[in-house]
Amino acid sequence: MEEIKKLKIYCLSNIAERLDNTKRILLHLEKDDIREIKRNSFSTSNAVYVFVNCRNPAYLKGILADQVIIDFREPMRSMAVDILRASCVPEQYQIIDDRKIGTSDTRFRN
């Protein structure tokens, strides 16, 4: 059986609450296809989502992403460009502003 190559989607911010909100939103959007959930990542049948706190840019060393969802400020924009690789994702969708999925710095309340 041929192994399916999953998209590597990284979510970058230096605000922990913003990363938590992004993860919560994406888990909800992908709820019917979640295969595995870990502390800083989760996977679906065709993607792996990884959440990286960019207060320490060294965490990004050696990472290659197909798509990046970012807190659309510097240094995250520069970091996103640095970790993108040749991808099947069209260029205009490779870097996504996290506000487009409803992410904010505000603590999520149930």
Side-chain angles (χ1 to χ4, degrees), residues 17-55:
E17 195 66 47
R18 192 171 193 98
L19 280 174
D20 289 344
N21 289 342
T22 301
K23 184 176 181 182
R24 204 172 283 113
I25 290 165
L26 291 170
L27 282 167
H28 177 73
L29 292 172
E30 296 281 13
K31 67 181 177 232
D32 294 330
D33 192 29
I34 294 173
R35 302 292 192 247
E36 181 179 25
I37 299 174
K38 295 183 179 177
R39 183 171 170 253
N40 293 321
S41 67
F42 73 89
S43 63
T44 65
S45 61
N46 59 4
V48 175
Y49 293 85
V50 181
F51 302 85
V52 180
N53 189 324
C54 295
R55 286 185 296 167

